[in-house]
Each structure stands twice: as C-alpha cells, then as structure tokens.
Amino acid sequence: MVVVTRIRREVLTLPAARLGADNPLPPLRPLDEVHRIDDRDREEMPRDMARQLGLEPLAGLLPVRVRDGYGRTREPRRVEALVIENDRLRATVLPGLGGRIASLLHLPTGRELLYRNPVFQPANFALNGAWYSGGIEWNIGATGHTTLSCAPLHAARVPAPDGGEMLRLWEWERLRDLPFQVDLWLPEGSDFLYVGARIRNPHERPVATYWWSNIAVPEDVRVLAPAEEAWFFGYERRLRRVPVPSYDGVDRTYPANSPYAADYFYEVPDGRRRWIAALDADGHGLVQTSTDVLRGRKLFVWGAGPGGRRWQQWLTEPGTGGYCEIQAGLARTQLEHVRLEAESEVSWLEAYGPLDAPPGGEWTEAVREAEGRLASALPRTRVEEAYAAWKPCADTEPAQTLAVGSGWGALEVLRADWKLPGTPFPESTLGEAQAPWRELLRTGSLPEPRRVRPPGETLVAPHWRDMLETAPATPHTEYHLGVAQWHAGDRAQAVRSWERALPLAPSLWPLLRCLAVADQEAGHHERAAERYADAFDDLCRERRDDGEVWTAAVAALGREALEALLRARRTAQARALWDRLLPAVRQRGRFRLLHAELLLAEGSRARARAVFDEDFEVADLREGADVIGRLWARLGDEPLPGRYDFRMRPDPV
C-alpha cells in the first residue's frame, strides 16, 4: 500500500499580539468562572447530571499561573506549525499554542472547514487568562477553556494504525494532575481526520476530569445534531431544558437568531449516533462524530446583540466574518465533571470531515438527511473499527520529537516513577521552573533563590505540601508552604506560615500580598489595604530593573493594591500609588479604567468621563465581566458607547 499521509513543519506569519510575562502572584482567590448555576435548577435534572454538576468543582487555579501579560498591539510574527495531510485533507496544528488545529482544508474543493482566525489575539477566556479564537481546541481540566490554551505541548511522529504516520500531542494537565494525549492521522484517501484521545489517571485515588473538543466554524450556518431537546445556559446562572430547534418562537439552530451569548447542550438520546454538523445555506460544511464515550454535543453562539458583535470584533480583525462553536464532550454539559477511577483511563475516537446535506426545512427531516449522508461518507462501524485499531497504537513510543512542552510532567514522573507508555516525559525537559522542586525532591530542602526576583511557581498537590511541611522552615519555604496550605483550605495555617516568614524574609512584598488577600477574603478590607500599600512600597524598593519580569510584578501588585485602596476609600494613598507606577503600566487599558475610578473617587467626574472619551482597551477584560458598564453608569445616564459594550446577557429588569 502506498501511504500518502505526510507530516511536515511549516512557519505561519500572521498579525499577532505578544503573550508577555505571566502574572507572578499566586492566584489565591476563588476561580472567576461564569458557568455557575442556581441550585434550584438541579431539582429538574437527571440524577447523574446533578451529581456531576457537584463533582469536585475547582476552588482556584493553583498551581497554574494567570496569563495576563498580553496586549492589543499586533505585529507580523512567526508561528511554528505542523501540517498533516493526505490527498484529501490538510490539517495545520499549532503545537506551541495548545496543539490547536488552526485550519482543516478540504483539498478537492478548496473549502476551509473551520473558522480560521486571520490573527492571533489573546483574550481573557481561558481559566487562567490568555486564550484565542478559531480552529479546534482541546479543553481538559475543568469547566472553561483549558489553562493550556496558549501553552506549548509535546509533539512527535508516531506510527499510525494503517502503517502511516500519526501526529501525537501530549502534556501534563496541572489542575487535575493528569497526563493526556491527542493522536491525529489521515488514512489514505480519507476525507476524515481521525483523532484518538486519552486521559490517564495514574493516581491511587479517583480524580474528577473534564474534556470538550471545541470547534470554531463560520456563524452563517445551521447547526444540526440528533436531538429534540437541549439544556440552555444563557450566562444568567440558570440551566434549563428547552425544545430543539425552536423555543419562544425562534429557531435557535441558526446562530444569528440568538440575541445574546448562549450555550445549547443537546440531549442526544442513548443509543443514537453522536455527531454534530454546521452547514451553510448551500449545504456545505463540517461534521464531527465520535465513539459514544464522547457523549455531549453543544452549540455556542455570541448572539446578534451589540455585546456579542463587540466580542467578535475584539477577537479578530474588524471586517472579518463571525463564528460560532460546535463542541463535543464527556458529559451532557460543560458544567459537569466526570469521575476517573484510580489507575484507569478514558479514551475515545473523533472524526472531522466535510459534509454536504440540505440544512433547511423541517428539523427532523434535516437531521435525518444529514445523518444519512454521514452514514454514507463515514459509517458508524468504521469509526468503531478505527478506534479499535488505534487503541494498541496509543502506547507506541514516539519515533521523532517535533516539539517540546513543559517540564511539569517530567517532574511528576520523576517523583512517582510512573510508567506512561506512549507519552514520555523525559528529565531533559525539566527547566528553570522545576529546578527548585527537583532539589526539594532530591534533598528534602527547597533551595533559596540565587538572585533577587519575584518568587517562582508553587506546587500545591498533597505530596508536595507534605514535603514542604518537613523541609527546613526557611522564609522561602514558609512562603510556598503557605500557598499550598491555602489551596488545601487550611487558611489559618497558611496565614501562620506567612507570618512566621516575615521577620527573616529578605523580600517582604510576596508575603504581605498573600496576607492582604487573606484579609480581604476574611472581610478585613482596611487591614488588607494597609498591607497592600506596604507590599507595593517594598516591591518598589526591591525592583531591580524595568524588564518584563519586574514590570509584570509591578503591574500585578499595583492593580490589586489600587483596587484594595479604592475599596477601603483610601483615595490619597491610591493616588500616591498611582504616581509610582511605571509610565508604561499606567498606559495599559486596565489601568486607564482604574484611573477613571480613582478620578471619580476624588470627585473629578468630568476628568473620569474624559478617560472614556479618550478611548482605551482593557486587553484582559474577562468573559462575562461588566466592570466597564458599571463604572460608566456611575458617570451619568447616557447609553454605554458601543466600543465598551461587551454585555453577554440582557440587563436585569
């Protein structure tokens, strides 16, 4: 057999914003996640769904850092890509940006099957901040976009089930401490890209896990799925069952018909084939199908309202077409997590390819026709056979490394001596971030930093916390121990650890900041403001330069301190702090917004309004946030200008 599948490197050049430095402050506050619901809705749900809604929800982001150092200035930049293609399809993968499939091109027709974003513009949609739109992304960890959205993954060539080549992507997911892999291959002459996925739990305890494959497609489509009902989430903390395709007299399977951003989680009946398709007015589009383990199917729409339009513009170039998302996941909805038993794994196979079918007309007939066309192009049995053929290959060791991810998996494998065939995490991938933790593992002591700089990342899993508790109690160790104790819910002990470190610590500001957060969470806002002010003073004394790392620390602590001082109505102190910020930091959109709030607190309403008139962009504006609209409402009765309107739900009546 002549194998025509090829994997090659390619460099894309596109307008791209820089990611910048990560936020060096450990994320101690509760997770800012919009996908939460009112408990009263659980009474109407199936038992398994209600149970999974409450299964080990994340309380915070630790040990992952927040990625908020990006801006809105785009310049031509080179992006490394890996291309896998046969004579029918070409898939372009970005291993350095979450392993996303940026493009899936059907070669015979020249049709792009995905929404391909012409720019790289991070925005605050991932659990830890930076995320970008377009293509197919692999969401693992917890409800929301993965923390790996803009992170490098390991990638390698691996023998495919048919004797050709597969592209393997893998990494260590840190929120749940689980390794995962994604294998992509194109059988000879196939119109479908096969994707084998596996999540492993090497621990001796069950772990909650999560997966949704998220596919961006042009929004001028109709979305078809084999369902008569859906669970509707409209960013109002409600989850309710609605009929498909229409409710309130509107056919919601056309994305443009929804006024606001919304999720529709389709209730696919047991035994029915799992698939979802997006077809344009001419009946051309993309279909995704899978083995039955990948149970859920979803449509996300931005909505036709001004807020949804603004978000679409925000994430790409003005004048480009909009998009919606079709998705597939392990549970009915993205608000759920599933239980992965100790020392077990979950795996499945997905297929992506073109589909031609009439999208319009009566729902049942449109679904039946599309399902029939899918059965002809890719029978359900062939998907099952492809999965069975792939499973033995999932453990095959990579033949050639194509990209390198983080060293966190190597650290965990070194600690526990886990055997993870198919997904190697060699010691050679250990880097500067892992070095002190490797030393703790080897010697039982956490080494002191060799130079003055913001603290490194903290590991918080029980085994690392235990090692910190038995290590020599240096101020540096007490700092990291306190963060781990805080993550475990032992807040009183965390505060004691940070307070113990203060008298001997050469660097006070990281400890003072942690104690300030503890004060805020306990409702002691005056004391928190005082500690924040002291922390910022200490940081300004310690800062060594205006480089990226120290600037990230000044911006992160300066923002939190300003917000705390304004909350405590310490306007004069807030002004003094503002004047000490680096000029480049003051020009950021987030700080322009804070300056408007400071001016308003000082009684300068006209000057605060002038900040809005001069225009600014808050690069890290959070999905679902209405902070701009709330401040604007305090300035007067005029409608919120369109450039600041990011509302994802109707105003409360």
Side-chain angles (χ1 to χ4, degrees):
M1 181 181 71
V2 178
V3 178
V4 297
T5 299
R6 299 173 296 278
I7 298 175
R8 58 181 171 83
R9 297 181 185 272
E10 189 172 282
V11 176
L12 308 180
T13 300
L14 68 162
R18 291 183 66 252
L19 276 170
D22 289 352
N23 188 322
L25 307 182
L28 301 177
R29 291 183 175 83
L31 188 64
D32 180 19
E33 172 50 42
V34 299
H35 295 87
R36 301 183 186 277
I37 65 166
D38 193 311
D39 285 341
R40 59 186 166 173
D41 288 343
R42 297 174 191 258
E43 299 174 2
E44 306 299 323
M45 296 175 186
R47 287 185 180 179
D48 63 329
M49 183 175 171
R51 181 177 64 253
Q52 291 179 165
L53 281 167
L55 182 63
E56 297 182 36
L58 285 184
L61 279 173
L62 287 165
V64 176
R65 282 189 163 180
V66 172
R67 309 201 72 174
D68 60 2
Y70 53 87
R72 299 278 303 164
T73 300
R74 295 192 288 267
E75 297 175 351
R77 302 185 193 277
R78 293 163 59 89
V79 179
E80 299 292 330
L82 297 171
V83 176
I84 177 170
E85 64 181 325
N86 61 8
D87 59 342
R88 309 291 296 175
L89 284 176
R90 179 186 300 147
T92 303
V93 182
L94 308 181
L97 294 170
R100 187 171 305 202
I101 300 177
S103 167
L104 186 60
L105 185 67
H106 187 235
L107 297 174
T109 62
R111 291 203 302 264
E112 174 61 61
L113 301 180
L114 305 175
Y115 167 74
R116 182 171 187 171
N117 197 334
V119 306
F120 172 69
Q121 177 56 65
N124 193 358
F125 279 75
L127 287 164
N128 63 331
W131 171 87
Y132 62 106
S133 65
I136 304 171
E137 61 177 306
W138 320 109
N139 287 312
I140 181 174
T143 299
H145 293 282
T146 176
T147 61
L148 296 166
S149 290
C150 293
L153 268 56
H154 301 279
R157 296 178 193 266
V158 182
D162 60 1
E165 290 185 326
M166 281 194 303
L167 174 60
R168 175 165 297 164
L169 306 165
W170 74 98
E171 231 326 339
W172 194 274
E173 199 289 307
R174 300 179 67 203
L175 293 179
R176 301 295 191 183
D177 259 342
L178 301 176
F180 73 97
Q181 73 188 76
V182 175
D183 290 353
L184 299 90
W185 79 100
L186 287 163
E188 181 185 1
S190 175
D191 275 318
F192 285 84
L193 173 69
Y194 288 166
V195 179
R198 173 168 66 168
I199 306 171
R200 287 191 273 199
N201 177 13
H203 302 283
E204 296 178 348
R205 55 179 173 79
V207 176
T209 192
Y210 171 95
W211 183 280
W212 281 80
S213 301
N214 186 350
I215 310 136
V217 293
E219 68 177 352
D220 53 347
V221 294
R222 190 185 197 190
V223 173
L224 302 176
E228 301 294 330
E229 293 181 313
W231 295 92
F232 168 72
F233 180 82
Y235 293 80
E236 299 168 276
R237 301 196 185 278
R238 300 299 307 276
L239 185 66
R240 61 183 187 272
R241 198 191 302 253
V242 298
V244 173
S246 300
Y247 77 92
D248 289 343
V250 177
D251 188 335
R252 309 287 173 155
T253 61
Y254 292 91
N257 286 350
S258 290
Y260 290 94
D263 297 328
Y264 300 91
F265 300 102
Y266 295 114
E267 185 70 78
V268 180
D270 291 341
R272 192 79 180 264
R273 185 176 187 179
R274 309 283 161 171
W275 63 273
I276 189 168
L279 303 174
D280 64 21
D282 295 326
H284 306 310
L286 171 82
V287 64
Q288 186 272 359
T289 187
S290 71
T291 49
D292 289 351
V293 166
L294 208 61
R295 175 181 186 175
R297 292 297 184 276
K298 171 193 164 181
L299 164 65
F300 166 77
V301 298
W302 282 107
R309 296 299 92 193
R310 186 69 182 102
W311 274 119
Q312 296 258 32
Q313 298 164 4
W314 188 254
L315 295 169
T316 186
E317 288 281 11
T320 58
Y323 76 97
C324 63
E325 294 168 358
I326 57 175
Q327 305 186 22
L330 286 175
R332 281 186 179 89
T333 74
Q334 289 175 331
L335 286 72
E336 302 168 69
H337 299 89
V338 299
R339 179 184 173 98
L340 188 56
E341 297 297 339
E343 300 178 332
S344 71
E345 65 180 49
V346 60
S347 61
W348 62 92
L349 186 128
E350 303 178 50
Y352 296 83
L355 183 69
D356 294 323
E362 195 270 329
W363 173 253
T364 302
E365 177 58 25
V367 169
R368 187 194 65 77
E369 182 64 24
E371 196 163 39
R373 301 281 183 97
L374 172 60
S376 297
L378 185 66
R380 189 176 186 178
T381 54
R382 193 182 303 168
V383 175
E384 299 289 348
E385 290 165 357
Y387 173 69
W390 167 73
K391 274 292 287 178
C393 300
D395 285 347
T396 303
E397 292 302 318
Q400 179 192 5
T401 298
L402 298 173
V404 178
S406 79
W408 295 113
L411 184 67
E412 293 299 332
V413 167
L414 185 65
R415 179 192 65 80
D417 194 30
W418 278 318
K419 309 302 179 187
L420 300 168
T423 54
F425 294 97
E427 288 190 48
S428 60
T429 60
L430 292 168
E432 183 181 0
Q434 294 83 38
W437 301 98
R438 185 183 190 183
E439 185 71 10
L440 174 64
L441 189 62
R442 188 176 66 85
T443 68
S445 298
L446 192 69
E448 291 295 308
R450 296 180 180 177
R451 56 195 173 99
V452 177
R453 63 181 305 174
E457 298 186 54
T458 300
L459 295 180
V460 297
H463 42 266
W464 292 108
R465 188 174 72 248
D466 291 345
M467 281 186 263
L468 288 169
E469 287 176 344
T470 57
T474 65
H476 186 59
T477 300
E478 294 280 22
Y479 164 79
H480 285 289
L481 175 59
V483 175
Q485 290 166 331
W486 181 272
H487 175 73
D490 192 350
R491 296 190 169 187
Q493 190 59 56
V495 169
R496 284 193 286 272
S497 294
W498 293 325
E499 288 177 340
R500 278 197 307 268
L502 275 175
L504 297 177
S507 181
L508 300 180
W509 65 268
L511 295 161
L512 289 170
R513 182 264 176 177
C514 289
L515 290 168
V517 173
D519 285 335
Q520 284 186 324
E521 292 297 303
H524 304 307
H525 297 292
E526 285 287 337
R527 190 167 65 192
E530 193 66 39
R531 278 179 161 154
Y532 265 123
D534 291 344
F536 193 77
D537 285 344
D538 186 67
L539 172 58
C540 290
R541 285 192 295 268
E542 183 176 288
R543 178 168 58 88
R544 293 297 188 263
D545 54 49
D546 292 346
E548 191 173 62
V549 172
W550 284 106
T551 298
V554 170
L557 185 59
R559 172 184 169 178
E560 290 188 11
L562 272 173
E563 291 171 342
L565 290 167
L566 288 170
R567 182 168 186 171
R569 302 183 186 279
R570 296 191 176 199
T571 308
Q573 280 184 287
R575 171 57 65 182
L577 190 151
W578 170 267
D579 291 339
R580 298 176 70 184
L581 289 171
L582 299 169
V585 171
R586 287 201 298 262
Q587 288 304 310
R588 296 181 184 181
R590 172 65 64 178
F591 286 85
R592 298 284 303 283
L593 180 64
L594 277 171
H595 192 217
E597 187 174 355
L598 172 58
L599 289 166
L600 187 59
E602 291 173 330
S604 300
R605 185 180 300 271
R607 293 179 62 196
R609 168 61 188 265
V611 173
F612 280 83
D613 294 340
E614 292 164 5
D615 204 3
F616 60 87
E617 293 184 322
V618 181
D620 63 335
L621 188 67
R622 184 68 176 164
E623 174 189 14
D626 58 355
V627 59
I628 297 178
R630 289 201 310 269
L631 183 57
W632 175 263
R634 292 169 59 194
L635 294 174
D637 298 328
E638 294 182 37
L640 182 67
R643 64 186 182 277
Y644 298 124
D645 189 352
F646 293 89
R647 288 171 290 189
M648 297 181 71
R649 57 184 180 271
D651 292 330
V653 178

